[in-house]
Amino acid sequence: LPSQATWRNIEGSAMQLQLPWPPTLNGYYGGGMHGRRYVTHKGKAFCEAVVDICEQRNVQQITHSVAVIAHMHPPDRRTRDCDNYWKALLDAMTAGRVWDDDSRVRLQIGEMLDPVRGGLVVVTVIDYQGDATQGLRAMLAGIAESEASEWGA
């Protein structure tokens, strides 16, 4: 795999970033007094690393709806829940000015892959209205329709 600070545009309608391994949701947030939650040192360090990568690569802020595909390479072979990493990942990308708000993310797909020393996530951001996403959405809608009919919905 390329170095962790990789960035490239793909056909003008997509971007790809190679980011460090994010902390879990529990590692990203800590609990303070009176029920207040805060971003931990680990969460801040991850966020700062993503901001640095985005600045180094001169990321241009996205102003439309997107789909995000995350290929996750954990640092070791322990069993992990793919969904525990999304909050840190999307918040850090917001801080890195990939978009103005992570509400721009209309579709997210994560895949846990083989481990890589230190861990990393290859994130591909594509236009939600683009051809690639339209095909993916049509496929997902077909699957959902098929499953709904099997369950009698």
Side-chain angles (χ1 to χ4, degrees):
L1 292 170
S3 70
Q4 285 196 341
T6 301
W7 149 267
R8 63 184 166 142
N9 280 322
I10 306 169
E11 299 176 9
S13 64
M15 101 173 48
Q16 192 169 68
L17 291 168
Q18 189 169 316
L19 304 175
W21 186 250
T24 64
L25 185 60
N26 291 334
Y28 188 74
Y29 284 114
M33 294 179 60
H34 309 294
R36 290 188 175 164
R37 298 183 58 79
Y38 61 91
V39 178
T40 64
H41 293 295
K42 189 184 290 187
K44 287 178 184 176
F46 173 73
C47 194
E48 289 170 7
V50 172
V51 168
D52 287 346
I53 289 168
C54 292
E55 287 175 354
Q56 289 169 12
R57 303 300 173 224
N58 195 27
V59 170
Q60 301 300 306
Q61 190 173 64
I62 295 167
T63 58
H64 54 275
S65 297
V66 296
V68 177
I69 302 165
H71 291 101
M72 301 177 173
H73 295 271
D76 55 47
R77 294 200 176 279
R78 285 184 286 168
T79 302
R80 299 169 191 274
D81 291 341
C82 193
D83 63 327
N84 280 338
Y85 300 94
W86 279 101
K87 182 66 176 163
L89 193 58
L90 296 180
D91 282 0
M93 291 175 72
T94 301
R97 300 185 48 79
V98 172
W99 42 63
D100 57 340
D101 188 273
D102 58 13
S103 66
R104 298 246 182 238
V105 178
R106 300 281 305 274
L107 176 65
Q108 60 189 52
I109 298 172
E111 181 177 21
M112 198 65 75
L113 298 169
D114 291 334
V116 171
R117 187 180 322 202
L120 63 89
V121 180
V122 178
V123 179
T124 305
V125 181
I126 57 179
D127 183 354
Y128 185 71
Q129 300 301 326
D131 291 341
T133 309
Q134 293 295 335
L136 182 59
R137 290 170 53 206
M139 180 190 72
L140 293 173
I143 292 169
E145 186 176 305
S146 172
E147 289 176 349
S149 66
E150 286 181 27
W151 290 93

